[in-house]
Amino acid sequence: MSTVTTPKAQVPDIAGQITYAMRSMGVAPIPRNYSLFYEAYIGSNPALTRELAALGSKATQEELDALGDQYFDHNHGRIIETAHDKVRSELESLLSLLQHEQNSMENYSKLLVETVARISNKNITSNNIVGSVIKVLQDATGNTAAHGEKTAQSVSRHSEEMNQVRQELDEYKRIANTDSLTRLSNRRAFDEKLSSLFDSSIGLHLTSLVLLDIDHFKRINDTYGHPVGDKILATVGNLIRSNVRKDVFVARTGGEEFAIILEGNNVDEVMTICERIRLSLENTPFRNSRSGTDYGPVNISIGYAMGSQSSGPGELYAQSDTALYHAKETGRNRSVFFEEGMQKNYVGKNWLIYK
C-alpha cells in the first residue's frame, strides 16, 4: 500500500507582515505598538481594527497610546517600569538597613571584647568599677536588642512591600494574558503555553492540542451584527470552559477560533471531550429572550492531534490545524483526529506570534 506524503505548508510570516505594516505607517517598532497592530491584524476586536485603520498613515504615538489605553486594561511598559523602580527602591532601603544593622552588631561585638578585657584586668579591684562596667554592658545589650527588633520589623515591612509588587505583577500578567471578551486565555498566553509543551518529552503521548472554530460565524456577524456575534463568542467560550476540567488550558486565539491544551488524556478520551463540547453547543439555543429572534443553530468544527505525533509546537499546531481543515471540508460540526496522510490545500496559519 502506497503512503501519501503530506507537503509542508507554507506558513505566512505574520510577524513580518505586521512589522512591515508598522514600518509603512512610520510607527515606532516598540512592544506596545506591536501588540496593538497584532490584535488589529487577527481581528479579535473589530472596533480596534476600524479605529486603527482610521488613523491612516500619519498616526502619532500619542494616538496609538490612547488606543492602547482604551482597548487594553494596562500599559505593559509603564507598569513594568513602575514595578521595577519600586522594587529597586525597596531593595536599596533594605540593603541600607542591613548595612546599618551590621555596623551596630560590629560595634556591640567590639564593646563586648573591651568589656571582657576590662573585667579580666587584675588591676581592677573596685566593686564600683566592675559594677559600672556591668551597667554599660547591660545598657548596650538592651539597646542592641531593641535595635535588632526594630530592624526585624523594618525588614518585614520592606518584604511585604516587595511581595505586594510581585502580586501586582502577577495580576497584571493575568490581565495581559486574558481575552477581554470571553475571559479565557488569549493568543499571547496560548503561544507561551504551547511553546512550553516540548520542554520535556515526558507525557507527550497524553498531551493534545485541540483547535475549535465556529461554523459560518461571518454569516452570524453579517446577519445580526457584531454585538450579537460578541455575545455568541462569549457564550461559546463559557460552554467550552464548562465542559473541561478547571485545570485545563482554554484560550481564544483570534476571531471565532479557540484552543484547548489537554494533558493527561489519551486519544480516545480527547475525542470524548471534543464530542461533549460539540454536542453541548449543538444543543444550546441561541435566541434573544426579548425579541424571540433565533440566532441558531451555532455549531463548531474541531481538529486535534497528540503531542507524540510531532517534533515541536509548530508541527503540532499544523497537524491540529490540518485536522480542523478536514472537519470543515467534510461537512463541519464534527471532531477530527489528525492522521498521517491528511493534506490541506490552503496556506496554514502561523501559530507563534508572541515568542
Side-chain angles (χ1 to χ4, degrees), residues 192-256:
E192 293 177 357
K193 178 67 175 179
L194 184 59
S195 65
S196 70
L197 293 182
F198 289 81
D199 290 346
S200 170
S201 61
I202 299 175
L204 285 177
H205 66 293
L206 295 177
T207 300
S208 61
L209 170 61
V210 181
L211 298 181
L212 312 92
D213 189 278
I214 301 176
D215 296 329
H216 302 299
F217 187 71
K218 183 178 184 301
R219 186 169 64 193
I220 295 174
N221 274 338
D222 292 344
T223 304
Y224 303 108
H226 287 284
V228 171
D230 287 349
K231 289 182 180 179
I232 290 176
L233 284 170
T235 301
V236 171
N238 288 335
L239 186 146
I240 294 172
R241 176 78 271 175
S242 65
N243 275 282
V244 295
R245 302 187 313 269
K246 290 184 178 180
D247 61 331
V248 169
F249 180 88
V250 183
R252 180 189 176 205
T253 55
E256 66 273 23

Side-chain angles (χ1 to χ4, degrees), residues 105-122:
M105 293 304 297
E106 288 175 352
N107 291 335
Y108 180 63
S109 178
K110 183 178 180 181
L111 176 62
L112 288 177
V113 172
E114 292 176 352
T115 300
V116 169
R118 292 181 65 185
I119 293 176
S120 301
N121 191 334
K122 296 179 178 181

